[in-house]
Amino acid sequence: MLDKNIAADVLHEAISLGADFADVFVERKNVQNLSFNSSKVKDIQSGTDFGIGVRLIYGKQYLYGYTNSAKKEDLLELTRNLAAQKKRATDRGFNASFNNANYPLIGAFEDKTTPLDQKVAKLKQLDTLVRQQGEHIAQVNISLVQYNQQVEIFDSEGLYATESRPYCRIATSAVAKDGQAQTSGSWNPGARGGYSFIENLDMNWIAEYLGKKTHTILYADPCPAGNKPVVIDNGFGGVIFHEACGHLLETTSVQKKASVFWDKKEEMIAHEALSAVDDGTIDNLWGSLSIDDEGMSTQKTQLIKNGKLENFLCDRMGELKTGHKRTGSARRQSYKFAPASRMRNTYIEAGPHKLEELIASMDDGIYAKSMGGGSVNPGTGEFNFAVEEGYLVKNGKIEKPVKGATLIGKGEDIMKKISMVGDNLEYAAGMCGSVSGSIPVTVGQPPVKVEDILVGGR
Amino acid sequence: MNLENKKLMQKLIDFASKEGAESSDVIFNTGKSLSMSAQEGELDSYKVSGSKIAGIRVIKDSKVGISYTEAFDDEALKDTAKKAVENSRFGEVNEFEKIEHAVEEDLVHMGDVEPVEQELDPQAKIDLCLKLESEVRKKDERVKGVPYNGLSESSVEGHYLNSVGTFAYDFESYVSCYTSALLKEGDKNSMFYHGTVGKHYNSLDWKSCVEQSYNHSLNWLNASPLKTGKYDVIFSIDQFESLFGAFRGMFSGKRAQEKSNPMFDRLGERIGHEELSIMDMPMYTPGFFKSPFDSEGYVRADLSLVKNGVFSNLFHNSATSKYFKTDNTFRAARGAKSALGVSGTTTVIQSGSKAEGEVKSGRYFEIHNMQGLHSGLNFMSGDFSFGASGYLIEDGKSIQAVNGVTVAGNFYKMLQNINAIGNEINSSSGKSFFCPLIRFEALSVAGN
């Protein structure tokens, strides 16, 4: 995408202006989105994002700029503008030749060319199946998102790395209605790969899932509020770990001492039943990468083992500021963002228990079958996340569905209250927003039991 | 205004025409920005950017296709036009969406004549950024960090051109800043951050960011949950703007067309308190951004959305108004990457009859921070449940700093369950939402 001689000239300019390190991130993203509403094609959109980001590091400070232009003079001007505040005399420059980075290629669903009419037919099939789930289904919205992000990374240490990253996701939501009562439910699986991911999905299962889920929520009573034990089911339930702990283990927060865990490495920060991992190397998963956005091979990183904090997620700036080793976790939404340490596929490892055992252990609690998203305040560790589909549990048995529940707490407290971990780990795709933009991530967990958490409801 | 940009847009339209498009329009946006942040007395990050993006919408055989590009050589433009026309082949016949609005004179809106970047020299900007951190740290030795702070300036140009010659140009330039205060005492900690915007550096109230961040964080250091129960609630204007924004889709004609607007059936009915009147005002004088024309090149006027509690209008563009056989309310919205939609401009909730002292009488929960706005709500049902922090107020005085609670309710029902509306209109910190004090009755709060 970018002429290597131009990249070398930009890096030379940066180093000769006194930068300790510099890198160039080149991105071309080809996008095709197809959306479906009221049993008809709503929009078909395609396009190309293209841009180049230049980063200069002086000591522990970074300067970042971007442009849509791949012209040498524009990139040199950008570099000079960035360095204007910090430039210092040096006789250094970039005189090396680029070495192609070697890294294992992480597997992906086949990215084959598929005619648009076949995709339209697939969405039409899913629309029909969802509408067949009952009279309560009033509307179905489906969108198919496909893009291929091609990246090139050049740095002043001579690294040259490139990756083509295919992504595919289908977002399906159903609106349910009965008189004045209305609600909605969604299912949004995604993967690293192309359209063959969609071909492998069980459309009947998705339709039945949405039909049951929206019916349950439509007729559920409001969730009673108060402190209770909660069993959070597998898959997207992993958003609890993502919000309550994962963000606090990114050096983006740790380097500012804005994380309650910044000085807790090698200490017990969670219940001994809990072990957790962030792994960018799993084939086909939505948050997997062969290289991170600094060109480093991605890794499997053990975050917590039997309750003890073992590692943080670290990028180059994080390493400079904290001394922790880089973990191939530098990520960004696009060339418009400098990289930052971010999660990839983050999950709680499987434990010994069956879901039924977890539910049976509650006298008066909530079984959160399906979770919505959440957020965290890294400085205080205060998090919240929404329960989409929940059930009241009395004396170890599911009593009735409830809606409108939110779980809130503090990360450092809640990690110590995950006391039972189930045996069937599942993953789910999501988008995570933070300092370097919105990126694809996977959350995951087996069912877990939280001994005591504040459930907000009515 | 750069005429080269208009030529580039015309070129894209011409390429689409050669590919068989019967009509088309182009959105072309350019932007420049500078942003920086500070950490422990030094500049932590410094970012500069320049960006351009063009998006085309074409109509062929009564079908719509869209495409966009960030590359602008002739090959890229031809490919973009071709993709848009190809995409239209797979669309459904859309008898409502047309590109036919012709205006002879160019529409031009200059939010400011001079870009904000020329107002201060680079070192003065860095000094201001450093103050966003140092002034918070100076406040109190319990300030253990200012993890989030930043200063940024932006200049953005928006262009619209269609195949029947309508051209519109909009320029805005502004500066913004934010800071935070992380306080720790023993095993207790608290954090709050606050931001603001200004048209010029000399009108940027950065000191309010410092004061608000520190004061709330200090107050919440010793906060505790409320007892679970029903409480009257007054949201700070910034929090109410966020909550209102999450349900603003109730005014969308596009959502109504897509059968995803839960309130559409209530149009013309009483949906709120009798003093509740909500206006959408594109040229509202105190508003930060003025928006004189929409994304189809139509000139906008004020629009009444709710009048004395009655749901009176929706945001419509030319297509949704044709679909519903009603008047266009000129709220077309389209980004370079997106299809034709609708959106509002500056929201102004009209003042009510109660003096602020009356609105604040007795006991209520005043909310200054909510978490989970993107996930803790169901737009179709109106149900919400968020983490919240604020103050328990008794006759206008804070008697308890509150955190660790959730507030839950139903937004659509909440509009009816209003106790009082104040008689003074206040501005959100983003100056895009204007609202009197509104006291909502008996929302559910979960705490102790």
Side-chain angles (χ1 to χ4, degrees):
Chain A
M1 293 186 290
L2 181 67
D3 186 308
K4 284 188 178 178
N5 293 322
I6 296 177
D9 288 343
V10 171
L11 294 170
H12 180 77
E13 187 74 11
I15 299 302
S16 65
L17 290 168
D20 298 313
F21 174 85
D23 61 9
V24 176
F25 178 82
V26 189
E27 178 190 21
R28 181 182 291 276
K29 188 166 84 172
N30 292 314
V31 180
Q32 186 184 67
N33 295 331
L34 170 59
S35 60
F36 210 76
N37 167 268
S38 298
S39 304
K40 291 190 292 195
V41 173
K42 179 182 158 192
D43 299 309
I44 299 173
Q45 175 231 49
S46 56
T48 303
D49 297 288
F50 177 77
I52 298 171
V54 178
R55 179 173 64 161
L56 280 59
I57 297 178
Y58 287 79
K60 294 180 180 178
Q61 177 192 338
Y62 77 88
L63 314 171
Y64 189 76
Y66 65 83
T67 174
N68 300 120
S69 172
K71 291 178 185 166
K72 178 179 167 179
E73 56 269 31
D74 291 341
L75 289 164
L76 289 176
E77 187 187 347
L78 174 65
T79 306
R80 289 181 199 120
N81 284 342
L82 283 171
Q85 309 305 322
K86 298 292 292 184
K87 67 182 175 187
R88 55 195 182 201
T90 176
D91 55 0
R92 294 182 298 124
F94 176 72
N95 302 310
S97 56
F98 291 115
N99 298 310
N100 284 12
N102 290 315
Y103 51 86
L105 194 65
I106 305 303
F109 283 97
E110 188 184 353
D111 194 12
K112 62 181 185 181
T113 304
T114 307
L116 257 172
D117 52 1
Q118 280 187 30
K119 296 178 184 177
V120 170
K122 195 76 172 174
L123 300 198
K124 199 166 270 188
Q125 177 202 2
L126 180 55
D127 175 88
T128 304
L129 289 169
V130 177
R131 287 176 188 279
Q132 286 170 353
Q133 298 304 310
E135 290 183 355
H136 66 290
I137 302 292
Q139 182 58 292
V140 179
N141 294 295
I142 309 170
S143 60
L144 173 65
V145 176
Q146 268 193 274
Y147 60 93
N148 191 299
Q149 183 196 35
Q150 197 175 347
V151 301
E152 278 184 335
I153 298 138
F154 304 86
D155 79 22
S156 58
E157 293 170 351
L159 175 137
Y160 170 72
T162 183
E163 183 179 14
S164 179
R165 302 168 178 163
Y167 292 91
C168 186
R169 194 176 195 199
I170 188 166
T172 314
S173 74
V175 174
K177 191 171 180 182
D178 185 354
Q180 290 286 320
Q182 299 188 56
T183 194
S184 60
S186 59
W187 181 249
N188 310 311
R192 173 180 166 90
Y195 187 71
S196 58
F197 167 65
I198 303 297
E199 291 178 322
N200 282 305
L201 289 174
D202 183 343
M203 296 291 169
N204 283 301
W205 182 90
I206 295 173
E208 283 176 24
Y209 173 84
L210 284 173
K212 283 182 190 167
K213 181 176 178 174
T214 51
H215 190 274
T216 301
I217 302 171
L218 187 63
Y219 298 110
D221 292 331
C223 184
N227 278 81
K228 299 172 191 300
V230 175
V231 169
I232 302 167
D233 211 343
N234 62 8
F236 202 68
V239 72
I240 186 174
F241 184 82
H242 177 100
E243 297 296 348
C245 190
H247 278 297
L248 309 182
L249 302 182
E250 295 165 339
T251 50
T252 305
S253 298
V254 172
Q255 70 202 30
K256 297 173 182 170
K257 299 177 183 172
S259 162
V260 291
F261 298 133
W262 74 273
D263 57 350
K264 298 283 194 291
K265 194 168 175 191
E266 304 295 329
E267 293 183 24
M268 291 295 287
I269 65 164
H271 193 283
E272 61 186 15
L274 191 142
S275 296
V277 163
D278 184 87
D279 186 353
T281 69
I282 305 170
D283 286 347
N284 302 336
L285 280 196
W286 177 242
S288 293
L289 308 154
S290 300
I291 52 168
D292 74 358
D293 288 336
E294 290 175 337
M296 181 178 179
S297 184
T298 194
Q299 291 180 357
K300 177 178 181 178
T301 309
Q302 186 81 44
L303 300 172
I304 296 171
K305 189 69 181 174
N306 299 329
K308 187 194 285 184
L309 174 57
E310 298 220 328
N311 285 296
F312 294 109
L313 295 172
C314 193
D315 63 336
R316 182 176 288 273
M317 289 306 298
E319 186 177 65
L320 280 170
K321 292 189 174 188
T322 66
H324 299 301
K325 291 291 174 204
R326 290 164 66 196
T327 53
S329 306
R331 301 190 66 190
R332 55 179 128 196
Q333 177 180 324
S334 72
Y335 67 89
K336 293 182 178 176
F337 297 84
S341 57
R342 303 287 296 273
M343 285 175 271
R344 299 158 298 198
N345 307 302
T346 315
Y347 59 90
I348 294 173
E349 293 181 298
H353 299 288
K354 300 290 177 197
L355 172 64
E356 297 74 22
E357 294 172 48
L358 272 61
I359 292 173
S361 72
M362 295 190 293
D363 289 334
D364 178 11
I366 301 291
Y367 164 46
K369 182 176 169 62
S370 164
M371 303 301 298
S375 63
V376 66
N377 178 338
T380 61
E382 292 167 331
F383 68 85
N384 69 89
F385 53 105
V387 180
E388 265 194 355
E389 183 183 354
Y391 296 85
L392 195 62
V393 176
K394 293 281 186 190
N395 302 316
K397 292 197 165 57
I398 290 175
E399 189 173 277
K400 64 175 183 177
V402 289
K403 65 180 177 184
T406 294
L407 310 182
I408 72 164
K410 284 196 168 189
E412 58 187 330
D413 297 335
I414 218 71
M415 287 300 106
K416 291 171 181 162
K417 292 178 180 172
I418 296 178
S419 59
M420 293 176 78
V421 179
D423 61 357
N424 56 334
L425 167 66
E426 278 203 12
Y427 305 108
M431 295 300 292
C432 172
S434 187
V435 287
S436 59
S438 179
I439 57 170
V441 296
T442 301
V443 298
Q445 67 170 37
V448 298
K449 181 188 176 191
V450 184
E451 282 298 330
D452 178 46
I453 189 168
L454 179 58
V455 180
R458 281 192 281 161
Chain B
M1 186 166 57
N2 184 343
L3 290 177
E4 290 302 311
N5 291 338
K6 190 174 177 183
K7 284 182 189 168
L8 183 146
M9 296 167 79
Q10 186 62 55
K11 198 184 268 188
L12 194 47
I13 286 173
D14 293 343
F15 284 140
S17 180
K18 281 180 190 162
E19 292 291 335
E22 290 147 11
S23 58
S24 57
D25 63 5
V26 174
I27 302 283
F28 181 60
N29 296 328
T30 69
K32 286 193 294 183
S33 71
L34 165 69
S35 63
M36 59 188 92
S37 64
Q39 213 46 238
E40 298 188 350
E42 293 190 357
L43 211 55
D44 179 51
S45 68
Y46 185 91
K47 300 178 190 176
V48 295
S49 69
S51 61
K52 294 179 181 179
I53 183 167
I56 186 166
R57 175 177 64 135
V58 305
I59 296 181
K60 183 170 187 285
D61 301 328
S62 296
K63 296 178 178 179
V64 181
I66 54 176
S67 183
Y68 71 89
T69 183
E70 291 182 335
F72 299 100
D73 55 88
D74 279 4
E75 280 309 303
L77 294 177
K78 275 181 196 168
D79 188 50
T80 302
K82 189 176 176 184
K83 277 182 184 166
V85 174
E86 279 176 4
N87 288 342
S88 73
R89 282 178 46 221
F90 298 95
E92 302 280 344
V93 170
N94 185 335
E95 61 192 289
F96 307 106
E97 196 162 329
K98 311 273 186 197
I99 301 170
E100 58 189 11
H101 179 54
V103 178
E104 284 187 11
E105 283 195 19
D106 289 353
L107 303 163
V108 176
H109 171 246
M110 298 291 288
D112 274 286
V113 178
E114 294 298 331
V116 73
E117 59 254 35
Q118 294 164 6
E119 293 179 358
L120 280 186
D121 65 49
Q123 190 56 49
K125 293 172 189 173
I126 291 170
D127 291 344
L128 176 54
C129 179
L130 295 175
K131 278 186 185 172
L132 290 169
E133 191 204 21
S134 63
E135 293 295 315
V136 178
R137 284 189 182 274
K138 271 186 205 169
K139 288 276 183 188
D140 191 324
E141 62 183 17
R142 288 170 293 181
V143 176
K144 298 303 179 193
V146 186
Y148 304 100
N149 65 73
L151 175 73
S152 70
E153 61 182 31
S154 301
S155 295
V156 291
E157 292 180 297
H159 308 71
Y160 173 83
L161 180 67
N162 69 20
S163 52
V164 288
T166 299
F167 178 73
Y169 173 82
D170 192 3
F171 173 80
E172 289 285 359
S173 182
Y174 56 94
V175 60
S176 63
C177 70
Y178 63 97
T179 192
S180 59
L182 174 61
L183 271 71
K184 288 193 178 177
E185 187 174 48
D187 60 353
K188 295 178 292 189
N189 57 23
S190 62
M191 190 172 86
F192 187 74
Y193 58 85
H194 187 75
T196 190
V197 293
K199 286 284 185 188
H200 305 282
Y201 275 99
N202 61 14
S203 62
L204 185 70
D205 188 9
W206 62 271
K207 288 180 181 171
S208 76
C209 296
V210 172
E211 295 301 321
Q212 295 244 21
S213 297
Y214 171 70
N215 289 337
H216 284 302
S217 191
L218 177 66
N219 293 338
W220 290 337
L221 202 50
N222 292 304
S224 55
L226 288 172
K227 191 176 173 189
T228 298
K230 301 277 186 187
Y231 292 81
D232 283 5
V233 166
I234 295 178
F235 296 91
S236 74
I237 190 162
D238 285 348
Q239 295 305 307
F240 190 55
E241 179 183 26
S242 298
L243 182 61
F244 185 89
F247 289 96
R248 194 192 299 266
M250 65 179 277
F251 300 111
S252 168
K254 177 109 178 195
R255 274 184 171 272
Q257 186 180 356
E258 293 168 355
K259 298 182 173 54
S260 299
N261 183 340
M263 295 296 279
F264 174 62
D265 293 344
R266 309 282 307 276
L267 194 62
E269 293 179 16
R270 173 87 175 267
I271 61 162
H273 186 274
E274 61 186 2
E275 286 189 5
L276 183 68
S277 293
I278 305 172
M279 297 286 295
D280 187 75
M281 302 177 74
M283 300 300 285
Y284 188 56
T285 305
F288 192 72
F289 290 118
K290 307 294 189 291
S291 186
F293 30 80
D294 74 359
S295 297
E296 293 183 290
Y298 289 100
V299 175
R300 288 172 160 145
D302 291 349
L303 176 67
S304 170
L305 299 168
V306 175
K307 179 77 174 169
N308 297 329
V310 175
F311 190 10
S312 49
N313 269 305
L314 294 175
F315 298 139
H316 280 300
N317 57 37
S318 66
T320 62
S321 58
K322 280 191 192 111
Y323 178 84
F324 287 111
K325 298 186 174 63
T326 189
D327 292 337
N328 188 349
T329 55
F330 309 125
R331 291 306 189 267
R334 189 167 93 75
K337 292 183 178 181
S338 60
L340 184 68
V342 295
S343 77
T345 59
T346 300
T347 302
V348 183
I349 300 183
Q350 303 290 296
S351 55
S353 61
K354 303 287 185 192
E356 291 203 347
E358 287 180 80
V359 182
K360 292 179 172 179
S361 66
R363 180 176 285 209
Y364 63 92
F365 180 28
E366 188 173 279
I367 293 177
H368 285 262
N369 190 32
M370 290 192 289
Q371 283 190 305
L373 274 160
H374 66 299
S375 57
L377 62 88
N378 187 311
F379 173 74
M380 292 306 296
S381 69
D383 293 327
F384 66 83
S385 179
F386 308 121
S389 308
Y391 305 94
L392 183 64
I393 307 285
E394 181 96 42
D395 292 330
K397 288 184 182 167
S398 170
I399 58 170
Q400 180 187 343
V402 176
N403 71 357
V405 301
T406 65
V407 59
N410 182 286
F411 183 79
Y412 305 126
K413 290 178 182 163
M414 208 172 88
L415 297 178
Q416 295 171 342
N417 298 331
I418 288 174
N419 248 336
I421 299 179
N423 58 7
E424 291 177 34
I425 295 179
N426 306 301
S427 165
S428 68
S429 48
K431 299 169 192 166
S432 58
F433 187 81
F434 296 82
C435 180
L437 282 180
I438 302 179
R439 180 167 172 152
F440 295 97
E441 193 173 292
L443 292 179
S444 297
V445 175
N448 285 330

